[in-house]
Amino acid sequence: MFFCSCTFSNQPVRTISQLHIMVQMASSKLIAVAFLSSLLALHAPMTTAANSNLFRDYIGAIFNGVRFTDVPINPRVRFDFILAFVIDYTTATEPPTPTNGRFNIFWQNTVLSAAAVASIKQSNPNVRVAVSLGGATVNNRPVFFNITSVDSWVQNAVASLTAIVREYNLDGIDIDYEQFQVDPATFAECVGRLVTTLKSSGVIKFASIAPFDNADVQRHYQALWASYGSVIDYVNFQFYAYSASTTEAQYVSHFDDQIANYPGGNILASFTTAPTTTSVPINTSLNACRTLQSQGKLYGIFIWAADHSRSQGFRFDTQAQALLANAPSY
């Protein structure tokens, strides 16, 4: 609601015609103010999501036997397991070669089976399970986004992923290609059409992307966001890929950069529990998460990966969930 003060002449009204003219003038001023307010609203900057309680954990890539049931699940968070990975590469050849959208399973599905997915979801109503596409390597060789044509890749991807999602009763997908043999526009069209089709047909409920701060990676994912951002629910930005010398303040600054790069997106903070000396330290990441939460910006946190967290007793997974479970509202 807004209030408008309209000033009339202090001369007496002598005729009905004069009164009619004055009323028209007042109405015109009110309409002009309302129109200006609408314009300002249209051109106001997009705001990113506020604090939320989404926690996401990648799982299954390391083949060390980690199970869904090994991971502590806080009932006060929304919890997504993300199976890593399915890749459109061959499984029976060495080296593996691209299959133009025909996805095969590369997570440890002998442990993280369809029955295990059903069981963890039945036991924990706050749990969803997704699968990630791509990844950095297959058999220690780079995974490239490689296609024969846009139409054939989309057709093959829709068919193969629909089969996998339905067999394992999955809820969503995550896009984690990190090397490309196509231009950004082609990548955007392929992935955008894939996500749109899977959502519109009811195969998946949500989709996320997992970029990091590399010029070529950002070009591809920002092209995807520009054309198909409306069908992407979360941005799993790999903040841990910044250097080990990154400070808490720098982490927060990097987070703000990604708000600008993916306007209107639900940006998740992140850290890795892998044994590394080259990534952002976990405590730095968690302190930055607390700062972001105090600023009303912490939509969620994801971790790479439960496979590594197991050797640490899932200490940091538990801390991250506790932080999200107690998120203040803004």
Side-chain angles (χ1 to χ4, degrees):
M1 179 182 294
F2 66 91
F3 298 89
C4 179
S5 174
C6 298
T7 304
F8 291 87
S9 166
N10 59 7
Q11 296 298 315
V13 177
R14 293 185 176 86
T15 66
I16 295 295
S17 177
Q18 283 179 320
L19 178 61
H20 180 67
I21 291 169
M22 289 179 178
V23 170
Q24 282 185 319
M25 290 172 61
S27 298
S28 297
K29 288 182 179 181
L30 283 167
I31 291 168
V33 170
F35 179 69
L36 180 60
S37 299
S38 299
L39 275 179
L40 290 172
L42 279 172
H43 293 280
M46 280 182 110
T47 54
T48 192
N51 285 340
S52 178
N53 66 341
L54 179 62
F55 178 77
R56 317 189 86 200
D57 219 343
Y58 287 84
I59 189 169
I62 311 302
F63 280 71
N64 65 355
V66 66
R67 300 177 182 275
F68 294 127
T69 51
D70 293 336
V71 185
I73 298 171
N74 189 318
R76 295 175 57 205
V77 303
R78 293 177 292 148
F79 193 115
D80 288 348
F81 282 109
I82 304 176
L83 296 163
F85 292 95
V86 290
I87 311 174
D88 53 335
Y89 270 62
T90 57
T91 57
T93 61
E94 185 57 38
T97 56
T99 57
N100 190 42
R102 295 180 180 89
F103 283 88
N104 291 304
I105 292 172
F106 284 84
W107 82 79
Q108 194 174 11
N109 64 332
T110 54
V111 175
L112 303 168
S113 61
V117 170
S119 178
I120 198 67
K121 290 169 68 173
Q122 183 176 14
S123 302
N124 300 272
N126 59 323
V127 165
R128 304 181 297 182
V129 183
V131 65
S132 188
L133 283 56
T137 62
V138 56
N139 292 10
N140 298 315
R141 294 178 175 87
V143 169
F144 290 97
F145 187 83
N146 176 288
I147 71 168
T148 301
S149 71
V150 172
D151 288 344
S152 63
W153 187 92
V154 172
Q155 182 178 2
N156 292 337
V158 167
S160 60
L161 287 171
T162 296
I164 292 169
V165 167
R166 287 179 173 165
E167 179 182 355
Y168 285 84
N169 189 25
L170 305 179
D171 303 291
I173 62 172
D174 173 66
I175 310 299
D176 186 30
Y177 285 99
E178 302 186 2
Q179 289 108 178
F180 310 90
Q181 292 178 330
V182 301
D183 61 80
T186 301
F187 174 72
E189 189 65 13
C190 287
V191 174
R193 283 173 53 182
L194 169 65
V195 174
T196 300
T197 302
L198 292 178
K199 277 193 162 186
S200 63
S201 62
V203 175
I204 62 171
K205 301 178 183 69
F206 59 86
S208 58
I209 58 175
F212 57 96
D213 193 24
N214 167 277
D216 192 46
V217 168
Q218 290 281 59
R219 277 192 294 271
H220 283 78
Y221 282 96
Q222 285 178 267
L224 172 60
W225 186 262
S227 298
Y228 289 95
S230 62
V231 297
I232 298 166
D233 300 277
Y234 317 115
V235 180
N236 284 10
F237 198 85
Q238 300 180 44
F239 289 101
Y240 49 84
Y242 288 104
S243 73
S245 62
T246 301
T247 65
E248 175 188 335
Q250 288 171 331
Y251 190 114
V252 173
S253 177
H254 294 322
F255 192 95
D256 289 337
D257 290 341
Q258 303 319 315
I259 289 176
N261 286 334
Y262 300 93
N266 295 321
I267 315 289
L268 274 71
S270 60
F271 60 87
T272 179
T273 53
T276 174
T277 58
T278 59
S279 299
V280 180
I282 295 173
N283 287 330
T284 300
S285 300
L286 282 170
N287 287 335
C289 287
R290 294 183 184 98
T291 298
L292 290 167
Q293 192 178 70
S294 73
Q295 297 174 351
K297 299 175 184 175
L298 187 64
Y299 187 84
I301 300 171
F302 81 84
I303 294 178
W304 176 268
D307 313 52
H308 298 300
S309 298
R310 188 174 67 163
S311 64
Q312 304 154 1
F314 299 98
R315 177 162 57 108
F316 300 110
D317 305 59
T318 302
Q319 288 182 28
Q321 290 180 69
L323 178 64
L324 293 168
N326 296 306
S329 299
Y330 285 83

